[in-house]
Amino acid sequence: MISLSKGSAEIQQLKANIEQQLEHTYLDSVLKRPAIEEEKLILLAELTDCTSLSKKQKEHYITSAMLAQVALDTHDLVPEVNQTENREQRNSKKQLTVLAGDYYSGLYYLLLTKIDDFDFIHILAAAIKEINEYKMLLYYNEARSFDEFISIAEKVEALLILHVARFLGEPALNNIIGPWLITQRLIKEKDEVARGEFTPLFAHWQKYNQSYSNEELLQLIHQQIAAKKRDIEFALSELPQRLRPYKHHLSSIIGKYPTHTTSFAEEG
């Protein structure tokens, strides 16, 4: 069984193995590589631990799924703007970002073909197709409210892991995966909004909803985090005993998040 602690040797070794797969001298010299999200890695480790798969098979599934996630994340990256660069240089960076995502996509397909696991290839391909459809809803402002916007964003964050859970026949975490992963994203981008920085997710919302001030947006995000925390706590209470280690892991983290929705002015 893989230890679920973020600092555990098993999780860090998995992360190191994935980072090694992603190494590319030229791409690393011109583009910022997406971070490997440890909570997604931990979720995948928990899902595979619930199976009778061999250690090698578990590692292949986890690595392949995380490479697919990195490919999806890379396509969402906005290249860092250097004011000394001309338009041609900036366009070149954008093109390289797309190509880098395609390169990372090829890595997980290559890994899975080596072990002849075409069923898992199909699962990842189906997840990626569905995720990209939801991304288009965000991109073209199809959400009719902020709640619906967050609901779509949650699907983008969670569908890859949910497809893996379905493939492995482990539904017990289904009600946790979405709320937990979007909460992680909201907390990260909330801090970026507070600092006045560009945020990939909320750039889509603000593009079509410019009447919202940063403070109003922060309040909406804070309310969503509080609501998602309540959803997670309820889902954790329903987990079977065999998932107690993950319940303990997640409870120790979300216990630090406030449930009330006071304004950020009051918190500051």
Side-chain angles (χ1 to χ4, degrees), residues 117 152 166 176 194 236:
D117 204 325
I152 295 169
R166 190 178 306 125
I176 288 174
L236 285 175

Side-chain angles (χ1 to χ4, degrees), residues 128-144:
I128 290 167
K129 177 178 180 294
E130 195 172 351
I131 288 166
N132 284 330
E133 288 170 355
Y134 280 110
K135 282 185 178 182
M136 289 299 98
L137 295 181
L138 293 179
Y139 186 82
Y140 290 110
N141 191 37
E142 296 293 330
R144 291 165 293 184

Side-chain angles (χ1 to χ4, degrees), residues 175-176 229-239 254:
N175 292 333
I176 288 174
K229 178 188 175 183
R230 291 191 292 271
D231 291 343
I232 295 165
E233 289 173 332
F234 177 76
L236 285 175
S237 70
E238 300 289 303
L239 283 184
I254 65 168

Side-chain angles (χ1 to χ4, degrees), residues 41-162:
L41 190 56
I42 290 171
L43 267 169
L44 288 166
E46 177 62 22
L47 290 170
T48 56
D49 265 352
C50 293
T51 70
S52 58
L53 294 168
S54 68
K55 181 180 179 182
K56 184 176 181 180
Q57 286 175 309
K58 290 177 183 179
E59 289 177 354
H60 276 309
Y61 284 153
I62 293 169
T63 301
S64 300
M66 288 305 297
L67 287 173
Q69 186 65 62
V70 168
L72 285 164
D73 294 343
T74 300
H75 283 137
D76 290 339
L77 284 179
V78 176
E80 293 181 358
V81 175
N82 184 327
Q83 297 303 323
T84 63
E85 293 175 339
N86 58 37
R87 180 179 296 179
E88 184 177 344
Q89 289 171 316
R90 292 176 187 175
N91 287 339
S92 177
K93 272 193 175 181
K94 289 180 181 178
Q95 291 168 355
L96 279 170
T97 301
V98 174
L99 290 173
D102 293 342
Y103 169 73
Y104 297 144
S105 297
L107 290 178
Y108 69 79
Y109 283 129
L110 177 62
L111 180 62
L112 289 170
T113 54
K114 285 181 178 178
I115 59 173
D116 294 328
D117 204 325
F118 296 103
D119 288 340
F120 199 59
I121 290 176
H122 177 73
I123 286 296
L124 293 184
I128 290 167
K129 177 178 180 294
E130 195 172 351
I131 288 166
N132 284 330
E133 288 170 355
Y134 280 110
K135 282 185 178 182
M136 289 299 98
L137 295 181
L138 293 179
Y139 186 82
Y140 290 110
N141 191 37
E142 296 293 330
R144 291 165 293 184
S145 66
F146 190 75
D147 285 352
E148 188 175 343
F149 177 84
I150 296 300
S151 178
I152 295 169
E154 182 175 317
K155 289 180 173 65
V156 171
E157 285 295 309
L159 275 171
L160 186 73
I161 310 293
L162 286 169

Side-chain angles (χ1 to χ4, degrees), residues 15-37 66-67 69-80 96-97 100-101 103-104 107 188:
K15 186 176 180 181
N17 290 344
I18 295 165
E19 288 175 339
Q20 187 176 28
Q21 295 267 358
L22 292 172
E23 283 181 3
H24 189 290
T25 304
Y26 177 66
L27 287 178
D28 289 346
S29 70
V30 293
L31 296 175
K32 180 181 178 182
R33 190 190 301 169
I36 295 170
E37 297 176 69
M66 288 305 297
L67 287 173
Q69 186 65 62
V70 168
L72 285 164
D73 294 343
T74 300
H75 283 137
D76 290 339
L77 284 179
V78 176
E80 293 181 358
L96 279 170
T97 301
Y103 169 73
Y104 297 144
L107 290 178
K188 178 179 181 294

Side-chain angles (χ1 to χ4, degrees), residues 146-202:
F146 190 75
D147 285 352
E148 188 175 343
F149 177 84
I150 296 300
S151 178
I152 295 169
E154 182 175 317
K155 289 180 173 65
V156 171
E157 285 295 309
L159 275 171
L160 186 73
I161 310 293
L162 286 169
H163 275 258
V164 173
R166 190 178 306 125
F167 175 79
L168 296 173
E170 180 48 80
L173 291 170
N174 283 0
N175 292 333
I176 288 174
I177 291 169
W180 175 227
L181 293 180
I182 191 61
T183 297
Q184 290 277 291
R185 180 74 179 267
L186 290 172
I187 288 169
K188 178 179 181 294
E189 296 214 12
K190 179 197 74 174
D191 294 339
E192 292 168 347
V193 169
R195 293 193 297 267
E197 297 175 2
F198 174 86
T199 64
L201 177 60
F202 291 113

